[in-house]
Amino acid sequence: MRTQLICLTVLAMGLSPSLAAGQATTRQCGPVEGVGPACLLARKQMPQLPDGKVYWHIDRFPSKELAERAGLPTSTVVEAFKSTWLFTLAGAGWKSASGEHVSKIGPLPITPATDYTAEYLRSIFTPGTTAPLHVHSGPEAFYAVTGDTCLETPGGMQTGRGPGNSLIIRAGPPMLLMAIGKVTRQGFALILHDSGQSPTTLIQTWRPAGLCARQLSADQAGAD
């Protein structure tokens, strides 16, 4: 029944049924990493964030134990894509004492709150896969290990190309995330929100202009 409702929602938004596979979800990630919906890698509640501008730091480690020793109270350790990752919310100048620094994303457009929760998602999308239309109560940041990213909102379109690309969106606007290009997109997302609010709300009140879909078509038509 749930699958039928999702497909009906996707059709009502003018998207093809194949796009329903990228549905947003809070289901826990399992050990098998296959193409399909986003899943929840980790959730961390924090009574406060660092002072000043906050960035999402991504570091890679050879083991979970080493990553845990290198973290801060605002750090989270996850295992995905055959690697161990340390996700840390900190100022621009923070650096892990060890590990491989992979990316610094930000500053994050944080919404004031008395208590914050960071939700980290993992997803594997083939080109053309998208999540349903939704909004967030806090900023969302995306990082792609592989593949290309397209994010459409009422304000236009953002794209990221190649391994390591990242995008950020503030709280509030409706959005459509799509994997574009010709390579499967493996990625992470961070939703940093007020702990007293739901992180994600599905919507049907906005219809995308098809900017990401047109970019996908152009990519597919382009030369290898």
Coordinates of all heavy atoms in Angstrom, one line a residue, residues 55-114:
Y55 N 30.9 24.7 9.6 CA 31.2 23.9 8.4 C 31.0 22.4 8.6 O 31.2 21.9 9.8 CB 32.6 24.2 7.8 CG 32.8 25.6 7.3 CD1 32.9 26.7 8.2 CD2 32.9 25.8 6.0 CE1 33.1 27.9 7.8 CE2 33.1 27.1 5.5 CZ 33.2 28.2 6.4 OH 33.4 29.5 5.9
W56 N 30.7 21.7 7.6 CA 30.7 20.2 7.6 C 32.0 19.7 7.1 O 32.3 19.8 5.9 CB 29.5 19.7 6.8 CG 29.4 18.2 6.7 CD1 29.9 17.3 7.6 CD2 28.7 17.4 5.7 NE1 29.6 16.0 7.2 CE2 28.8 16.1 6.1 CE3 27.9 17.8 4.6 CZ2 28.2 15.1 5.3 CZ3 27.3 16.8 3.9 CH2 27.4 15.5 4.2
H57 N 32.8 19.1 8.0 CA 34.1 18.6 7.6 C 34.0 17.1 7.4 O 33.3 16.4 8.2 CB 35.1 18.8 8.7 CG 35.5 20.3 9.0 ND1 36.5 20.9 8.4 CD2 34.8 21.2 9.7 CE1 36.6 22.2 8.8 NE2 35.5 22.4 9.5
I58 N 34.6 16.6 6.3 CA 34.5 15.2 6.0 C 35.9 14.6 5.9 O 36.7 15.1 5.2 CB 33.8 14.9 4.7 CG1 32.3 15.5 4.8 CG2 33.7 13.4 4.3 CD1 31.6 15.4 3.4
D59 N 36.2 13.6 6.8 CA 37.5 13.0 6.8 C 37.4 11.5 6.7 O 36.4 10.9 7.2 CB 38.2 13.3 8.1 CG 38.6 14.8 8.2 OD1 37.7 15.6 8.7 OD2 39.7 15.2 7.8
R60 N 38.4 10.8 6.1 CA 38.3 9.4 5.9 C 39.4 8.7 6.7 O 40.6 9.3 6.8 CB 38.5 9.1 4.4 CG 38.3 7.6 4.1 CD 38.0 7.4 2.6 NE 38.6 8.4 1.7 CZ 38.1 8.7 0.5 NH1 37.0 8.1 0.1 NH2 38.7 9.6 -0.2
F61 N 39.1 7.6 7.3 CA 40.1 6.9 8.2 C 40.2 5.4 7.8 O 39.2 4.8 7.3 CB 39.6 7.0 9.7 CG 39.9 8.4 10.2 CD1 39.0 9.4 10.0 CD2 40.9 8.6 11.1 CE1 39.2 10.7 10.5 CE2 41.2 9.9 11.6 CZ 40.3 10.9 11.3
P62 N 41.3 4.8 8.2 CA 41.4 3.4 7.9 C 40.6 2.5 8.9 O 40.4 1.3 8.6 CB 42.9 3.1 8.1 CG 43.4 4.2 9.0 CD 42.5 5.4 8.7
S63 N 40.2 3.0 10.0 CA 39.4 2.2 11.0 C 38.4 3.1 11.8 O 38.7 4.3 11.9 CB 40.3 1.5 11.9 OG 40.9 2.4 12.9
K64 N 37.4 2.5 12.3 CA 36.4 3.2 13.2 C 37.1 3.7 14.4 O 36.8 4.8 14.9 CB 35.3 2.3 13.5 CG 34.1 2.9 14.3 CD 33.0 1.9 14.5 CE 31.9 2.6 15.2 NZ 30.7 1.6 15.4
E65 N 38.0 2.9 15.0 CA 38.6 3.3 16.3 C 39.4 4.6 16.1 O 39.4 5.5 16.9 CB 39.5 2.2 16.7 CG 38.8 0.9 17.2 CD 38.2 0.1 16.0 OE1 38.7 0.3 14.9 OE2 37.3 -0.7 16.3
L66 N 40.2 4.7 15.0 CA 41.0 5.9 14.8 C 40.1 7.1 14.5 O 40.4 8.2 15.0 CB 41.9 5.6 13.6 CG 43.1 4.7 13.8 CD1 43.8 4.4 12.5 CD2 44.1 5.2 14.8
A67 N 39.0 6.9 13.8 CA 38.1 8.0 13.6 C 37.5 8.5 14.9 O 37.4 9.7 15.1 CB 37.0 7.6 12.6
E68 N 37.1 7.6 15.7 CA 36.5 8.0 17.0 C 37.4 8.8 17.9 O 37.1 9.7 18.5 CB 35.9 6.8 17.7 CG 34.7 6.2 17.0 CD 34.2 4.9 17.7 OE1 35.1 4.2 18.4 OE2 33.1 4.5 17.5
R69 N 38.7 8.4 17.8 CA 39.7 9.1 18.7 C 40.0 10.5 18.1 O 40.4 11.4 18.9 CB 41.0 8.3 18.7 CG 40.9 7.0 19.6 CD 42.3 6.6 20.1 NE 43.1 6.2 19.0 CZ 43.3 4.9 18.7 NH1 42.6 4.0 19.3 NH2 44.1 4.5 17.7
A70 N 39.8 10.7 16.9 CA 40.1 12.0 16.3 C 38.9 13.0 16.3 O 39.1 14.2 16.0 CB 40.5 11.8 14.8
G71 N 37.7 12.6 16.8 CA 36.5 13.4 16.7 C 36.4 14.4 17.8 O 37.1 14.4 18.8
L72 N 35.4 15.2 17.6 CA 34.9 16.2 18.6 C 33.6 15.8 19.2 O 32.9 14.9 18.6 CB 34.8 17.6 18.0 CG 36.1 18.2 17.4 CD1 35.7 19.6 16.7 CD2 37.1 18.4 18.5
P73 N 33.0 16.5 20.2 CA 31.7 16.2 20.6 C 30.6 16.4 19.5 O 29.5 15.9 19.6 CB 31.5 17.2 21.7 CG 32.8 17.5 22.3 CD 33.7 17.4 21.1
T74 N 31.0 17.2 18.5 CA 30.1 17.4 17.3 C 30.4 16.5 16.1 O 30.0 16.8 15.0 CB 30.1 18.9 16.9 OG1 31.5 19.3 16.6 CG2 29.6 19.8 18.0
S75 N 31.2 15.5 16.4 CA 31.6 14.5 15.3 C 30.7 13.3 15.3 O 30.1 12.9 16.4 CB 33.0 14.1 15.5 OG 33.9 15.2 15.3
T76 N 30.6 12.6 14.2 CA 29.9 11.4 14.0 C 30.7 10.5 13.1 O 31.2 10.9 12.1 CB 28.5 11.6 13.4 OG1 27.8 12.5 14.2 CG2 27.7 10.3 13.3
V77 N 30.8 9.2 13.5 CA 31.6 8.3 12.7 C 30.6 7.3 12.0 O 29.7 6.8 12.6 CB 32.6 7.4 13.5 CG1 33.3 6.4 12.7 CG2 33.6 8.3 14.2
V78 N 30.8 7.2 10.7 CA 29.9 6.3 9.9 C 30.8 5.4 9.0 O 31.9 5.7 8.7 CB 28.9 7.0 9.0 CG1 28.0 7.9 9.9 CG2 29.6 7.8 7.9
E79 N 30.2 4.3 8.6 CA 30.9 3.4 7.6 C 30.0 3.2 6.4 O 28.9 2.9 6.5 CB 31.2 2.0 8.3 CG 32.2 2.2 9.4 CD 32.5 0.8 10.1 OE1 31.5 0.1 10.5 OE2 33.7 0.5 10.3
A80 N 30.6 3.6 5.2 CA 29.9 3.5 4.0 C 30.9 3.5 2.8 O 32.0 4.1 2.9 CB 28.9 4.7 3.9
F81 N 30.4 3.0 1.7 CA 31.2 3.0 0.5 C 32.6 2.4 0.7 O 33.6 3.0 0.2 CB 31.2 4.4 -0.2 CG 29.8 5.0 -0.4 CD1 29.6 6.3 0.1 CD2 28.8 4.2 -0.9 CE1 28.3 6.8 -0.1 CE2 27.6 4.8 -1.1 CZ 27.3 6.1 -0.7
K82 N 32.7 1.4 1.5 CA 34.0 0.7 1.7 C 35.0 1.6 2.5 O 36.2 1.3 2.4 CB 34.6 0.2 0.4 CG 33.7 -0.8 -0.3 CD 34.4 -1.3 -1.6 CE 33.4 -2.3 -2.3 NZ 34.1 -2.9 -3.5
S83 N 34.5 2.5 3.2 CA 35.4 3.4 4.0 C 34.8 3.8 5.3 O 33.6 3.6 5.5 CB 35.7 4.7 3.2 OG 36.5 4.5 2.0
T84 N 35.6 4.3 6.2 CA 35.2 4.8 7.5 C 35.3 6.3 7.4 O 36.4 6.9 7.0 CB 36.0 4.3 8.7 OG1 35.9 2.9 8.7 CG2 35.6 4.9 10.0
W85 N 34.2 7.0 7.8 CA 34.2 8.5 7.6 C 33.9 9.2 9.0 O 33.2 8.7 9.8 CB 33.0 8.9 6.7 CG 33.0 8.2 5.4 CD1 32.6 6.9 5.1 CD2 33.6 8.7 4.1 NE1 32.8 6.6 3.8 CE2 33.4 7.7 3.1 CE3 34.2 9.9 3.8 CZ2 33.8 7.8 1.8 CZ3 34.6 10.0 2.4 CH2 34.4 9.0 1.5
L86 N 34.6 10.3 9.2 CA 34.4 11.1 10.3 C 33.7 12.4 9.8 O 34.3 13.2 9.0 CB 35.7 11.5 11.0 CG 35.6 12.4 12.2 CD1 34.9 11.7 13.4 CD2 37.0 12.9 12.6
F87 N 32.5 12.6 10.3 CA 31.7 13.9 9.9 C 31.8 14.8 11.1 O 31.4 14.4 12.3 CB 30.2 13.5 9.6 CG 30.0 12.7 8.4 CD1 28.9 11.9 8.3 CD2 31.0 12.6 7.4 CE1 28.7 11.2 7.1 CE2 30.8 11.8 6.2 CZ 29.6 11.1 6.1
T88 N 32.2 16.0 11.0 CA 32.4 16.9 12.1 C 31.8 18.3 11.8 O 32.1 18.8 10.7 CB 33.9 17.1 12.4 OG1 34.5 15.8 12.7 CG2 34.1 18.0 13.6
L89 N 31.1 18.8 12.7 CA 30.6 20.2 12.6 C 31.5 21.1 13.4 O 31.6 21.0 14.6 CB 29.1 20.3 13.1 CG 28.1 19.4 12.3 CD1 26.7 19.5 12.9 CD2 28.1 19.8 10.8
A90 N 32.2 22.0 12.7 CA 33.2 22.8 13.4 C 33.4 24.1 12.5 O 32.9 24.3 11.4 CB 34.5 22.1 13.5
G91 N 34.3 25.0 13.1 CA 34.6 26.2 12.4 C 35.5 25.9 11.1 O 36.0 24.8 10.9
A92 N 35.7 26.9 10.3 CA 36.4 26.7 9.1 C 37.8 26.2 9.3 O 38.4 25.5 8.4 CB 36.5 28.1 8.3
G93 N 38.5 26.6 10.4 CA 39.9 26.3 10.5 C 40.2 24.9 11.2 O 41.3 24.5 11.4
W94 N 39.1 24.2 11.6 CA 39.3 22.9 12.3 C 39.9 21.9 11.4 O 39.6 21.8 10.2 CB 38.0 22.4 12.8 CG 38.2 21.1 13.6 CD1 38.6 21.0 14.9 CD2 38.0 19.8 13.1 NE1 38.6 19.6 15.2 CE2 38.3 18.9 14.1 CE3 37.6 19.3 11.8 CZ2 38.2 17.5 14.0 CZ3 37.5 17.9 11.7 CH2 37.8 17.0 12.7
K95 N 40.9 21.1 11.9 CA 41.5 20.0 11.2 C 41.6 18.8 12.1 O 42.1 19.0 13.3 CB 42.8 20.4 10.6 CG 42.8 21.5 9.5 CD 44.1 21.7 8.9 CE 44.0 22.7 7.8 NZ 45.4 23.0 7.2
S96 N 41.3 17.7 11.6 CA 41.5 16.4 12.3 C 43.0 16.2 12.5 O 43.8 16.5 11.6 CB 40.9 15.3 11.6 OG 41.2 14.1 12.2
A97 N 43.4 15.6 13.7 CA 44.8 15.4 13.9 C 45.3 14.2 13.1 O 46.5 14.1 13.0 CB 45.0 15.0 15.4
S98 N 44.4 13.5 12.5 CA 44.9 12.3 11.7 C 43.8 12.1 10.6 O 42.8 12.8 10.5 CB 45.1 11.1 12.5 OG 43.9 10.7 13.2
G99 N 44.0 11.1 9.8 CA 43.0 10.8 8.8 C 43.3 11.6 7.5 O 44.1 12.5 7.5
E100 N 42.5 11.3 6.5 CA 42.6 12.0 5.2 C 41.4 13.1 5.1 O 40.2 12.7 5.1 CB 42.4 11.0 4.1 CG 42.3 11.7 2.7 CD 41.8 10.7 1.6 OE1 41.6 9.5 1.9 OE2 41.7 11.2 0.5
H101 N 41.8 14.3 5.0 CA 40.8 15.4 4.9 C 40.2 15.3 3.5 O 40.9 15.4 2.5 CB 41.3 16.7 5.2 CG 40.3 17.8 5.2 ND1 39.2 17.9 6.1 CD2 40.1 18.9 4.3 CE1 38.5 18.9 5.8 NE2 39.0 19.5 4.8
V102 N 38.9 15.1 3.4 CA 38.2 14.9 2.1 C 37.5 16.2 1.6 O 37.6 16.6 0.5 CB 37.2 13.8 2.2 CG1 36.5 13.6 0.9 CG2 38.0 12.5 2.5
S103 N 36.8 16.9 2.5 CA 36.0 18.1 2.1 C 35.7 18.9 3.3 O 35.5 18.4 4.4 CB 34.8 17.6 1.3 OG 34.1 18.7 0.8
K104 N 35.5 20.2 3.0 CA 34.9 21.2 4.0 C 33.8 21.9 3.3 O 34.0 22.5 2.2 CB 36.0 22.2 4.4 CG 35.5 23.2 5.4 CD 36.6 24.2 5.8 CE 37.0 25.1 4.7 NZ 38.0 26.1 5.1
I105 N 32.6 21.7 3.8 CA 31.4 22.2 3.1 C 30.7 23.3 4.0 O 30.4 23.1 5.1 CB 30.4 21.1 2.8 CG1 31.1 20.0 2.0 CG2 29.1 21.6 2.1 CD1 30.2 18.7 1.8
G106 N 30.5 24.5 3.4 CA 29.9 25.5 4.2 C 30.3 26.9 3.8 O 31.0 27.1 2.7
P107 N 30.0 27.9 4.6 CA 29.3 27.8 5.9 C 27.9 27.4 5.7 O 27.2 27.7 4.7 CB 29.4 29.2 6.5 CG 29.5 30.1 5.4 CD 30.3 29.3 4.3
L108 N 27.3 26.6 6.7 CA 26.0 26.2 6.7 C 25.0 27.3 7.1 O 25.3 27.9 8.1 CB 25.8 25.0 7.6 CG 26.7 23.8 7.3 CD1 26.5 22.7 8.4 CD2 26.4 23.2 5.9
P109 N 24.0 27.6 6.4 CA 23.0 28.7 6.8 C 22.1 28.2 7.9 O 20.9 27.8 7.7 CB 22.3 28.9 5.5 CG 22.3 27.6 4.7 CD 23.6 27.0 5.1
I110 N 22.6 28.2 9.1 CA 21.9 27.6 10.2 C 20.8 28.4 10.7 O 20.9 29.7 10.8 CB 22.9 27.3 11.4 CG1 24.0 26.3 10.9 CG2 22.2 26.8 12.6 CD1 25.1 26.2 11.9
T111 N 19.7 27.8 11.0 CA 18.5 28.4 11.6 C 18.6 28.4 13.1 O 18.9 27.4 13.7 CB 17.2 27.7 11.2 OG1 17.1 27.6 9.8 CG2 16.0 28.4 11.7
P112 N 18.5 29.6 13.8 CA 18.7 29.6 15.3 C 17.7 28.6 16.0 O 16.5 28.5 15.6 CB 18.3 31.0 15.6 CG 18.6 31.8 14.4 CD 18.2 30.9 13.3
A113 N 18.3 27.9 17.0 CA 17.5 26.9 17.7 C 18.2 26.7 19.1 O 19.4 27.1 19.2 CB 17.4 25.6 17.0
T114 N 17.5 26.2 20.0 CA 18.0 25.9 21.3 C 18.7 24.6 21.4 O 19.5 24.3 22.3 CB 16.9 26.0 22.4 OG1 15.9 25.0 22.1 CG2 16.3 27.4 22.5

